[in-house]
Amino acid sequence: LHQGTRAMSSAVARSLRSAPASARRLPGRAVLSRARSTAAVGVADDAEPQGSLFNPTAEHYALRELCAAFVRDEVEPQALEFNRAERFNHPLFRRAGELGLLGVTVDPEYGGAGMDAAAACIVHEELSASDPAFCLSYLAHSQLFVNNLARNGSAEQKAAWLPAACSGEAIGGMGMSEPEAGTDVLGMRTRAEQQADGSWLLNGGKMWITNGAVSDTELGDRYLIYARTGGPEVKASKAVSLFYVERGMAGFSLGQRLKDKCGMRASPTAELVFENVPLPAANLIGQPGGATVCMMRNLEIERVVLAAMGVGIARRSLEAMNAYATDRRAFGASLRDFGQIQRHIAESYAEYMAGKTYLYQTALGLDLDDAGNRLDTDGVKLYCTTMGKNVADRAIQVMGGYGYMGEYAVERLWRDAKLLEIGGGTLESHHKNMVRDMSQLDAMP
């Protein structure tokens, strides 16, 4: 691990010390009686110890304990209610800030935890084992806004905008996709024109923006927005810049809150509109035309934590089907005694362990300040997101009618899992990127 991630953040350490004893101790993973969504979740009694691949240091292990207690005591009890209502749980988000989780990869100087990509994966895995929708909003804030700014902003910009984001006082997001520019991101039409005094005027719109709204009528607080600044004669990869935009700026408005989604219903998605939004010169992140490298670097950690979400979904689904298969009896025998059910459970376990191993191996080799890790950051997302969806699907199959009901967690996990194959890069884009990068390999690792 690179220097700076060896010591646990003061924020996480304080959270462990100040939490009640019930939230500090290593919680046993409850056997899910008929896999009801209200059952407890947490770290397994036989969880990998510190120094293992999944918990590389004592700090990582303590972080996992903290996250598991937070999930068990505060995330799990609200998950079903907020998903049914399609509401974002703002108080819970602020609570994550109090625990030091919102800036897990940010230097302590700016209010963060100063940890690494593996730590980010631990948080996303634990949250997604209970509420992937809340985790998606956490991802958009902690990685797409906070980590992005921490890696690409100036010292002055980080000092001005990161502390409130790390504490949970402000909720952030990132705007890249547009109605006609998704995978073809460099085809974006949102444009910023530099003015004579060095300021910028921003025009256009962004679509599918996680945390774009916190209610049906209210914007989030802060965003990093990609916009074209070069003319048609400029190569597309040299024509995109990154800007800081905040609620209350003239011309910045909520186009619409997007509802009735297949899954991730407690994570708000919105359209953002920019009409002659004046931006001070100081709101440009990096150099004009230099944002493509920022985008590619941040996409790598985004894809890794999306893979971690797939691992979390798979873990919870596997626990649910395993417990149900023991509890349920049919034809005078335990359900787990039937070969068809054994195949679902055994294949799910093997795929889950393969994905989790690939995930943490990739995360531990990822330098958040560098780019060039696309083959495995794409590869781990390609594998783990589909794996998570498939394990959730098998859990529903094993549980039959119970698994199909909203009262049981796997139905929600299955719906939530589909987005992971689309957001942060479609499966098809990963295929393209990986095969292109593999053309440079003479032998496989």
Side-chain angles (χ1 to χ4, degrees):
L1 299 179
H2 59 78
Q3 191 172 9
T5 64
R6 297 180 185 275
M8 188 179 191
S9 74
S10 58
V12 173
R14 285 196 304 271
S15 297
L16 283 172
R17 289 195 298 269
S18 61
S22 61
R24 289 201 308 270
R25 67 173 184 265
L26 180 64
R29 179 176 293 158
V31 175
L32 303 183
S33 175
R34 289 191 181 271
R36 285 188 182 274
S37 60
T38 54
V41 291
V43 175
D45 291 331
D46 57 350
E48 289 290 322
Q50 63 191 48
S52 69
L53 178 61
F54 306 146
N55 299 299
T57 68
E59 291 75 30
H60 291 93
Y61 189 76
L63 176 64
R64 192 180 292 277
E65 286 187 276
L66 173 68
C67 292
F70 175 50
V71 166
R72 181 196 63 220
D73 296 340
E74 302 182 58
V75 177
E76 181 68 16
Q78 59 80 58
L80 183 59
E81 173 191 349
F82 278 82
N83 272 269
R84 281 176 169 169
E86 295 191 59
R87 284 194 295 127
F88 173 62
N89 193 334
H90 212 157
L92 188 67
F93 174 84
R94 293 194 184 98
R95 176 63 177 148
E98 293 173 4
L99 293 174
L101 300 177
L102 296 181
V104 69
T105 60
V106 175
D107 287 343
E109 176 183 358
Y110 304 111
M115 297 185 78
D116 61 356
C121 288
I122 287 170
V123 181
H124 285 81
E125 180 193 341
E126 294 297 326
L127 290 176
S128 288
S130 172
D131 191 348
F134 179 76
C135 186
L136 187 68
S137 281
Y138 169 81
L139 185 159
H141 178 89
S142 67
Q143 300 304 317
L144 306 189
F145 179 82
V146 172
N147 183 74
N148 199 346
L149 180 59
R151 260 66 217 178
N152 300 306
S154 67
E156 294 77 15
Q157 290 169 333
K158 290 186 281 190
W161 301 323
L162 280 178
C166 290
S167 71
E169 177 185 341
I171 183 169
M174 180 270 289
M176 187 165 62
S177 295
E178 298 182 1
E180 297 182 11
T183 300
D184 181 22
V185 64
L186 295 181
M188 66 179 65
R189 298 181 181 180
T190 297
R191 185 164 186 83
E193 299 281 355
Q194 191 164 28
Q195 308 302 295
D197 63 357
S199 66
W200 300 81
L201 272 185
L202 180 66
N203 282 281
K206 297 294 180 180
M207 195 68 163
W208 319 116
I209 306 307
T210 303
N211 297 347
V214 293
S215 70
D216 289 353
T217 59
E218 186 181 8
L219 284 163
D221 297 310
R222 301 175 174 183
Y223 301 91
L224 294 179
I225 301 297
Y226 291 94
R228 190 174 182 90
T229 52
E233 74 285 355
V234 180
K235 186 178 178 180
S237 62
K238 304 291 184 182
V240 176
S241 302
L242 182 61
F243 296 91
Y244 170 83
V245 180
E246 64 183 24
R247 182 176 61 179
M249 287 182 164
F252 177 34
S253 64
L254 175 62
Q256 57 179 320
R257 162 93 187 273
L258 302 171
K259 302 183 75 172
D260 197 25
K261 297 179 294 184
C262 171
M264 301 294 188
R265 291 185 165 222
S267 176
T269 309
E271 176 189 23
L272 305 181
V273 177
F274 311 99
E275 298 177 299
N276 289 322
V277 179
L279 299 175
N283 284 31
L284 172 69
I285 309 296
Q287 298 299 314
T292 300
V293 68
C294 304
M295 182 189 300
M296 295 301 109
R297 180 165 51 218
N298 216 63
L299 276 171
E300 290 183 358
I301 183 59
E302 179 185 6
R303 287 168 180 169
V304 169
V305 295
L306 284 165
M309 291 182 66
V311 168
I313 288 171
R315 190 184 86 196
R316 180 70 180 279
S317 299
L318 182 57
E319 291 170 347
M321 77 169 99
N322 187 46
Y324 182 85
T326 299
D327 185 50
R328 181 76 157 88
R329 296 185 64 80
F331 303 103
S334 172
L335 204 61
R336 67 186 308 108
D337 292 336
F338 295 94
Q340 302 98 320
I341 302 302
Q342 291 167 351
R343 178 178 179 180
H344 286 312
I345 296 172
E347 289 187 352
S348 294
Y349 178 79
E351 292 172 15
Y352 159 70
M353 288 301 295
K356 189 168 184 174
T357 300
Y358 189 15
L359 170 67
Y360 284 96
Q361 176 181 296
T362 301
L364 286 169
L366 188 63
D367 184 346
L368 293 174
D369 293 311
D370 196 14
N373 305 284
R374 188 172 69 173
L375 177 58
D376 281 314
T377 57
D378 274 55
V380 75
K381 179 179 179 292
L382 174 69
Y383 181 81
C384 289
T385 56
T386 296
M387 180 273 294
K389 184 192 72 174
N390 289 345
V391 174
D393 187 81
R394 291 191 197 115
I396 293 176
Q397 196 69 24
V398 167
M399 295 165 64
Y402 291 106
Y404 196 68
M405 299 302 294
E407 183 181 1
Y408 294 79
V410 293
E411 178 270 343
R412 173 168 50 83
L413 297 176
W414 180 67
R415 289 188 291 103
D416 288 349
K418 181 57 191 175
L419 179 68
L420 305 183
E421 296 184 319
I422 302 170
T426 62
L427 300 183
E428 293 76 16
S429 70
H430 302 325
H431 297 151
K432 172 181 67 70
N433 293 341
M434 292 173 68
V435 173
R436 180 179 295 172
D437 291 353
M438 288 174 67
S439 69
Q440 306 301 312
L441 298 180
D442 295 325
M444 294 301 107

